[in-house]
Amino acid sequence: MYYSRIIGSGGYLPERVMSNAELEALVDTSDEWIQARTGIRKRHIAREDETTSEMCYYAARRAIECAGVAPDSIELIVVATSTPDLIYPSSACLLQRRLGIRNGAPAFDVQAVCSGFIYALSITDQYIRAGAMQRALVVGADMNSRILDWRDRTTCVLFGDGAGAALLERSDSPGIYKTLLHADGSYSDHLQVPSGVSKPSADPFIRMRGNEVFKFAVQAMDEIVGETLADTGLQQQDIDWLVPHQANQRIIAATVKKLGMSMDQVILTVGEHGNTSAASIPLALDAGLRDGRIKQGDIILMEAVGGGFTWGSALVRY
Ligand code: ACO
């Protein structure tokens, strides 16, 4: 029986930091409102000439260096993003090119908005468990600044740009105990960018019914915990770290309370990064691994809710 385990992580955030004070000059908002309602203090915003695949590259390179493996030994590349460089080729193919990998490994994108990294991790885990691959690169990246309406105070204060990566390897023991994926497309109007290729419109920006998303997210995150732990032999109290999607500190706090955990057991990056969509979980994971909070053998629960709605979780022993 095979499992996959995480052997390296990396993150990348654009250099430019945008504070809440800067947003006060753009829309009718305040640092106080943003911090009180979301926990966000600042976010990183990409340069005009920067691309999603470039952000993926820096995050992936750090993960590869961290794991100490040869890029050519990577047998699968999956990138989760809703903001690719181009319609095609995929960001994963563009990343493969930047990394100089020419071993014929498959590379493709996954689009599940803020749950994208969990979706990509789950797909990759299935390949490794099935014995089809030994080593794979999973990246979550989003350049939300390109799809924000900078005149809409209900959305522009919430998001940021970034990329996070994890390198997975086949192992005889977990590793990843379990991943769960869910979607309910009947909620597709609640959170969307209402423009695309076959349905272009004059509104190519993130539109969100914040309250409805909030309520759904709190409930979904609560319900998925029991479902994730089922049949793993692990209990709620075995979870050392929660690495949640970083949309709003209040959603995270509600989940923590229901889990009977403490905020000290959460890797929290929303204050510094804002919501970086598919990048938020791998960026938080990388932060927790690099500063030594997450130690070998620790049990980590990752969970996310995103547009679609999509939601999912991963239970991992590091
Ligand atoms: N500054 C000041 N006031 C604001 C701002 C702002 N930036 N934004 C909204 N307000 C106002 C509203 O207009 C409203 O005013 P009114 O009462 O006069 O109408 C008031 O503040 C309260 O608005 P609410 O929407 O009720 O505020 P709430 O406490 O729900 O917070 C928020 C809004 C932060 C968007 C919250 O609902 C939220 O976090 N929702 C979930 C977002 C999320 O989880 N997304 C995850 C998925 S993201 C993805 O997949 C891409």
Side-chain angles (χ1 to χ4, degrees):
M1 189 153 177
Y2 296 124
Y3 295 94
S4 44
R5 67 185 184 101
I6 295 169
I7 59 161
S9 72
Y12 172 78
L13 291 157
E15 207 177 315
R16 167 155 159 55
V17 175
M18 185 185 253
S19 66
N20 290 346
E22 267 185 83
L23 284 159
E24 287 176 2
L26 290 179
V27 287
D28 180 15
T29 192
S30 66
D31 175 41
E32 195 191 349
W33 190 96
I34 300 170
Q35 287 211 40
R37 300 291 181 119
T38 71
I40 300 168
R41 292 183 291 281
K42 54 188 183 184
R43 71 286 292 144
H44 292 251
I45 302 294
R47 294 186 317 268
E48 227 157 80
D49 65 342
E50 214 163 358
T51 62
T52 298
S53 68
E54 199 180 335
M55 297 200 300
C56 290
Y57 170 69
Y58 290 119
R61 227 179 51 179
R62 284 170 190 157
I64 291 167
E65 277 166 19
C66 170
V69 301
D72 256 346
S73 69
I74 294 167
E75 295 170 310
L76 169 70
I77 300 174
V78 185
V79 172
T81 187
S82 311
T83 49
D85 296 21
L86 306 168
I87 292 166
Y88 57 77
S90 68
S91 304
C93 284
L94 298 176
L95 171 62
Q96 189 183 39
R97 174 175 163 159
R98 279 180 192 271
L99 287 169
I101 297 176
R102 296 204 63 197
N103 60 2
F108 58 88
D109 286 3
V110 167
Q111 211 273 46
V113 199
C114 297
S115 312
F117 182 76
I118 298 291
Y119 267 63
L121 192 71
S122 179
I123 292 164
T124 306
D125 184 45
Q126 310 307 319
Y127 276 105
I128 293 178
R129 267 175 196 261
M133 307 198 164
Q134 301 234 29
R135 197 171 279 162
L137 176 65
V138 185
V139 185
D142 269 306
M143 202 172 273
N144 290 309
S145 59
R146 302 282 208 267
I147 50 167
L148 281 175
D149 178 352
W150 290 97
R151 298 156 303 177
D152 176 7
R153 70 175 182 173
T154 68
T155 52
C156 76
V157 304
L158 303 174
F159 295 90
D161 302 333
L167 209 68
L168 262 60
E169 190 172 74
R170 191 154 91 186
S171 157
D172 293 329
S173 59
I176 298 182
Y177 285 97
K178 188 172 174 180
T179 57
L180 273 180
L181 301 180
H182 289 299
D184 186 343
S186 67
Y187 290 103
S188 53
D189 293 345
H190 283 43
L191 174 55
Q192 60 173 211
V193 177
S195 183
V197 181
S198 68
K199 203 179 169 195
S201 91
D203 184 10
F205 302 121
I206 299 174
R207 301 296 175 201
M208 179 168 76
R209 296 180 192 150
N211 272 317
E212 278 97 328
V213 180
F214 190 99
K215 278 184 233 147
F216 183 90
V218 171
Q219 196 184 335
M221 290 301 85
D222 179 32
E223 284 173 5
I224 209 165
V225 177
E227 204 186 343
T228 311
L229 288 165
D231 309 322
T232 61
L234 294 174
Q235 314 291 324
Q236 221 157 285
Q237 55 271 24
D238 295 324
I239 301 168
D240 296 300
W241 294 102
L242 184 67
V243 182
H245 172 49
Q246 315 274 328
N248 186 323
Q249 194 167 318
R250 286 159 54 218
I251 297 176
I252 296 170
T255 307
V256 164
K257 198 172 161 196
K258 288 201 164 134
L259 272 170
M261 291 175 79
S262 111
M263 283 305 274
D264 293 340
Q265 292 174 277
V266 182
I267 309 293
L268 199 64
T269 52
V270 68
E272 279 70 42
H273 302 173
N275 179 350
T276 56
S277 293
S280 93
I281 288 181
L283 274 169
L285 181 69
D286 185 54
L289 292 176
R290 277 182 196 264
D291 66 19
R293 272 178 292 173
I294 301 175
K295 300 195 170 37
Q296 205 87 44
D298 282 357
I299 305 284
I300 308 163
L301 176 66
M302 307 177 200
E303 49 171 29
V305 175
F309 287 141
T310 55
W311 65 106
S313 63
L315 189 65
V316 178
R317 183 189 291 275
Y318 179 61

